[in-house]
Amino acid sequence: MNWGALDRYVKSLIKEAGHHIKHSFFTEIEISSKSSANDLVTNIDREIEQFFIERIRRDFPDHRIMGEEGFGDDIRSLDGIIWFLDPIDGTMNFVHQKRNFAISLGIYIDGIGMLGYVYDVMADDLYSAMKDEGAFLNDIRLPNLKETTIEQAIIGVNASWIAPNRYVDNAPMIDLVTKCRGTRSYGSAALELTHVAAGRVDAYMSMRLSPWDVAGGMIIAHEAGAISSTMSGVRPSLLHQETFIVANASIHTQLLEEFIVLKK
Ligand code: IPD
Ligand code: CA
Ligand code: CA
């Protein structure tokens, strides 16, 4: 595989998709819900996924695709080249705010992340990374992350995980948000990963993310020097929904050991 050529191809494909999304604001967007009343999906999420899948199948027939909206392949193993696509990450923001959403894409070979992209469509900010080549924002290299401490850190965490919930003991989480410098929540896991990569936020965590939420951003964050894992400290499987944390390397272990107590 010529990864450099594929990188150029993907960047142009993502920009074209972003153009379609911006154009959709001039049309009537159909909104419906999926697993719950607050789990939103629109006709644009589906159309953008179909746009990518048609192109990928036409130009790379031997690659497989895992897409959130279900138009891709039924992926049960990580063999070969797989594209993990979230056509719109942050659909609630897309619907309510018309900003703060992203296209998220990660390309893996035999489970190894090769190319990662998160495109903040309305800001026209394209974060990208190629394995061992560094992380970039609009083709300008992001500096490597500097060491930090919990006391100096901004932690990306949704309020749901601080309130009593069925996944994690919330008392240590309260302790964490009290000890750290501040907290943020942006409503797009992919964008939150880029905030960690860019050093604007020092960690981001969630108890329930899917492969397409994190596959692209994980490569970008890793290339900037961050560490990602499940809350049990192992590599995300990329085959099903699971807990997730990405953090500046200097606080990743401490966050897991001192503040995360998973419920059985
Ligand atoms: C969601 C966003 C959100 C995260 C949810 C995801 P979607 O993705 O990334 O920030 O908290 O868990 O499902 O549904 O907007 O693609
Ligand atoms: Ca998502
Ligand atoms: Ca989505």
Side-chain angles (χ1 to χ4, degrees):
M1 190 74 223
N2 180 340
W3 297 102
L6 184 60
D7 175 53
R8 289 189 290 280
Y9 172 96
V10 176
K11 283 175 174 158
S12 117
L13 194 62
I14 287 178
K15 288 287 175 110
E16 199 180 330
H19 183 78
H20 288 309
I21 296 178
K22 279 184 186 147
H23 185 76
S24 75
F25 291 132
F26 298 104
T27 67
E28 183 97 25
I29 296 174
E30 296 155 26
I31 304 158
S32 44
S33 50
K34 294 194 280 190
S35 60
S36 71
N38 299 330
D39 181 10
L40 305 179
V41 64
T42 73
N43 57 313
I44 310 304
D45 298 65
R46 298 199 185 94
E47 285 168 24
I48 295 299
E49 179 160 315
Q50 282 166 317
F51 163 81
F52 273 97
I53 288 177
E54 272 169 29
R55 291 294 180 88
I56 300 164
R57 289 204 170 132
R58 186 192 73 188
D59 297 334
F60 304 98
D62 55 334
H63 295 187
R64 297 188 297 152
I65 308 145
M66 186 195 281
E68 171 164 26
E69 307 312 335
F71 298 106
D73 301 293
D74 181 15
I75 304 285
R76 290 164 191 225
S77 85
L78 296 180
D79 300 341
I81 297 184
I82 303 177
W83 299 52
F84 294 89
L85 170 70
D86 192 338
I88 298 183
D89 182 59
T91 298
M92 197 186 290
N93 291 349
F94 172 69
V95 169
H96 285 260
Q97 307 179 335
K98 294 189 167 52
R99 66 188 69 196
N100 302 323
F101 59 87
I103 296 170
S104 169
L105 181 61
I107 305 180
Y108 286 66
I109 181 162
D110 298 332
I112 296 166
M114 294 302 297
L115 296 170
Y117 305 88
V118 173
Y119 182 40
D120 180 335
V121 175
M122 302 314 283
D124 193 24
D125 279 338
L126 177 57
Y127 297 84
S128 65
M130 189 187 297
K131 186 180 185 309
D132 300 330
E133 299 292 334
F136 294 80
L137 164 54
N138 296 329
D139 292 328
I140 297 170
R141 187 159 181 166
L142 292 171
N144 264 16
L145 296 174
K146 295 198 181 73
E147 279 189 21
T148 190
T149 60
I150 298 291
E151 288 71 22
Q152 292 173 308
I154 299 184
I155 306 293
V157 61
N158 187 306
S160 328
W161 312 128
I162 313 302
N165 67 84
R166 62 194 167 100
Y167 295 93
V168 71
D169 188 349
N170 73 316
M173 295 293 275
I174 293 173
D175 193 22
L176 172 63
V177 303
T178 312
K179 278 208 174 95
C180 73
R181 181 161 282 170
T183 58
R184 296 290 184 271
S185 179
Y186 295 92
S188 156
L191 284 178
E192 299 187 82
L193 272 148
T194 67
H195 292 320
V196 174
R200 299 176 199 125
V201 167
D202 302 289
Y204 164 69
M205 61 185 76
S206 172
M207 303 310 142
R208 216 178 34 189
L209 288 177
S210 296
W212 47 79
D213 295 316
V214 298
M218 232 164 57
I219 301 173
I220 299 167
H222 177 78
E223 286 296 322
I227 297 181
S228 47
S229 69
T230 68
M231 291 295 198
S232 315
V234 299
R235 258 169 76 114
S237 72
L238 292 176
L239 290 172
H240 48 76
Q241 202 176 63
E242 55 201 331
T243 59
F244 182 78
I245 178 168
V246 58
N248 182 302
S250 56
I251 58 171
H252 176 265
T253 307
Q254 192 188 354
L255 283 169
L256 286 181
E257 287 179 355
E258 284 183 30
F259 302 101
I260 307 297
V261 182
L262 294 175
K263 289 183 177 170
K264 290 285 170 292

